[in-house]
Amino acid sequence: MSMLTTPDAAAGFASIMPADPVGWEPTIPARIVLQMRADRPARRANLVSCPLLVSVCDGDAIAPPQPAIEVAKHAPRGELQRYPIGHFDLFNEPWIDRVVNDQIAFLRRTLLQPHTEQR
């Protein structure tokens, strides 16, 4: 939890915790933190040839929306889905249903359309 320092982090994190978190430890390896500083996905987004759905929370204070928007913009088959909510809101009602439905619709569109090989 100490990595998430925004005002909404504690309440948001608590909202997605399991009801009985016994045996579940919310930790990540330190090496991930070091890698995050160098992570710039938009640099190579143009190499992603498969359909790519990028879901962005415009009010996200934990993961700023602009880098994800850039990824969607640079990926040849990128599709951007924006939501007027914060980082943790999409995991809870009423937004989780909308987000999941948008993801299912994306999968149906991209998996059911005829495949054309790109050269």
Side-chain angles (χ1 to χ4, degrees):
M1 185 62 197
S2 61
M3 280 188 56
L4 306 177
T5 59
T6 60
D8 62 339
F13 191 75
S15 77
I16 63 169
M17 288 289 293
D20 183 14
V22 173
W24 185 78
E25 195 64 39
T27 61
I28 62 167
R31 70 180 176 277
I32 299 296
V33 178
L34 298 173
Q35 292 170 348
M36 287 171 62
R37 292 191 54 124
D39 189 23
R40 301 287 182 265
R43 285 187 192 161
R44 301 190 62 149
N46 64 319
L47 302 175
V48 178
S49 60
C50 66
L52 176 67
L53 176 63
V54 180
S55 300
V56 173
C57 298
D58 287 324
D60 197 328
I62 293 171
Q66 197 55 43
I69 293 168
E70 291 299 314
V71 168
K73 190 184 305 181
H74 289 80
R77 298 174 67 192
E79 182 177 320
L80 179 63
Q81 196 67 260
R82 296 178 80 162
Y83 303 96
I85 56 177
H87 185 84
F88 292 101
D89 297 326
L90 67 101
F91 299 107
N92 296 297
E93 296 293 339
W95 289 98
I96 191 166
D97 292 331
R98 179 171 172 190
V99 172
V100 168
N101 286 332
D102 289 346
Q103 292 171 346
I104 291 169
F106 170 80
L107 289 171
R108 284 189 174 136
R109 272 194 318 279
T110 58
L111 295 176
L112 298 178
Q113 68 182 344
H115 176 72
T116 56
E117 189 171 323
Q118 295 184 357
R119 297 190 194 270

